[in-house]
Amino acid sequence: MRFFNRVVLQTPESVELELFLAGIGSRTLALIVDYILLLIILLLVLFVWAFASSQLLNFLNSFSESSNLDQWLLAIYFLTTFAIFTGYFVFFETLWQGQTPGKRLAKIRVVRDDGRPVGLQQAALRAILRPFDDYLFIGFFLVMFNEREKRLGDLVAGTIVIQNQTAEKSSNLYISEQAKLYYSQLQKFVDFSQLLPDDFAIVREFLLRRSSMSAKARSALSLKLAQQVQSIINLEVLPAQVSSEVFLEAIYLAYQQPEF
């Protein structure tokens, strides 16, 4: 039994990518954690603002009365808190490939509708519309009744929130001895942390389905995927004796290791 709704996306490499939607429980946990962190940040800002404002007012009032200054300071405070509120989500979702501290704890993240990582534009739209989603729990009801569990920010930004893809073993997935040997060599000088869950998922889908492909399609797709992964992990060249499929098998092994 699957407890999460799933979506199947077609990648530019013609590989179907199966993703599981995060669900209201995981999203709520992530939001609670993020709001607790935001509350701490905003309380610190309030303390600093209150202290600085009182000092500034006392200093200026010693020279002349300024009836409008406190209103300006209050307006600046509200603008600052809104900037911090939206900037928190924009900063982390852009920097951490669709995750905030709360999402990372809940093991979920935001991606575009086509499975690609979110950018600044998508993160900004989601953050700006978040207050509307929070108002009267509009976002909660939209997630509950939308087929892809989208709140208003997701609908406008063209994003979905998914469970992090995890490596899982399959009896149908053959890994050659050459790939195991090559992986042991790769791990000494390659940083596999650059690979995203979607990258792994695409490699895994290819390895699972390659036996049903024609020889020409299999060769072309394995070469294209290998070149893309090579670029991601900054590997200049493959040894002459290592085929693109063996390389992808080694990448699959790398993603399964606990230290990754």
Side-chain angles (χ1 to χ4, degrees), residues 146-161:
N146 186 274
E147 183 180 354
R148 287 199 168 191
E149 300 179 1
K150 288 171 171 270
R151 64 176 178 86
L152 181 60
D154 292 315
L155 291 169
V156 175
T159 56
I160 54 176
V161 183

Side-chain angles (χ1 to χ4, degrees), residues 9-153:
L9 306 177
Q10 190 81 15
T11 70
E13 295 81 15
S14 300
V15 176
E16 285 188 346
L17 181 62
E18 184 180 67
L19 303 174
F20 291 91
L21 298 176
I24 193 67
S26 298
R27 295 181 71 161
T28 300
L29 171 62
L31 193 60
I32 289 173
V33 172
D34 286 328
Y35 275 2
I36 289 174
L37 292 175
L38 265 171
L39 179 61
I40 294 172
I41 295 171
L42 291 176
L43 285 175
L44 290 174
V45 171
L46 176 60
F47 175 79
V48 173
W49 173 84
F51 177 78
S53 296
S54 62
Q55 295 297 314
L56 181 61
L57 286 171
N58 289 336
F59 175 75
L60 293 178
N61 286 337
S62 62
F63 295 97
S64 63
E65 292 292 330
S66 179
S67 58
N68 293 328
L69 182 59
D70 55 344
Q71 297 177 12
W72 278 103
L73 290 173
L74 188 60
I76 291 172
Y77 170 73
F78 283 119
L79 288 173
T80 302
T81 54
F82 179 75
I84 292 172
F85 178 83
T86 56
Y88 173 91
F89 292 99
V90 173
F91 174 79
F92 282 112
E93 288 183 359
T94 304
L95 183 68
W96 284 1
Q97 301 289 341
Q99 287 189 310
T100 59
K103 289 185 178 69
R104 180 164 288 190
L105 180 67
K107 297 181 179 179
I108 62 176
R109 67 191 184 93
V110 185
V111 297
R112 302 186 198 184
D113 284 338
D114 58 5
R116 292 182 298 162
V118 293
L120 179 61
Q121 179 182 353
Q122 291 79 29
L125 285 172
R126 296 183 83 254
I128 291 171
L129 291 171
R130 185 173 293 277
F132 297 96
D133 280 308
D134 290 345
Y135 181 70
L136 296 178
F137 301 100
I138 290 174
F140 175 85
F141 290 109
L142 285 175
V143 170
M144 289 289 292
F145 297 107
N146 186 274
E147 183 180 354
R148 287 199 168 191
E149 300 179 1
K150 288 171 171 270
R151 64 176 178 86
L152 181 60

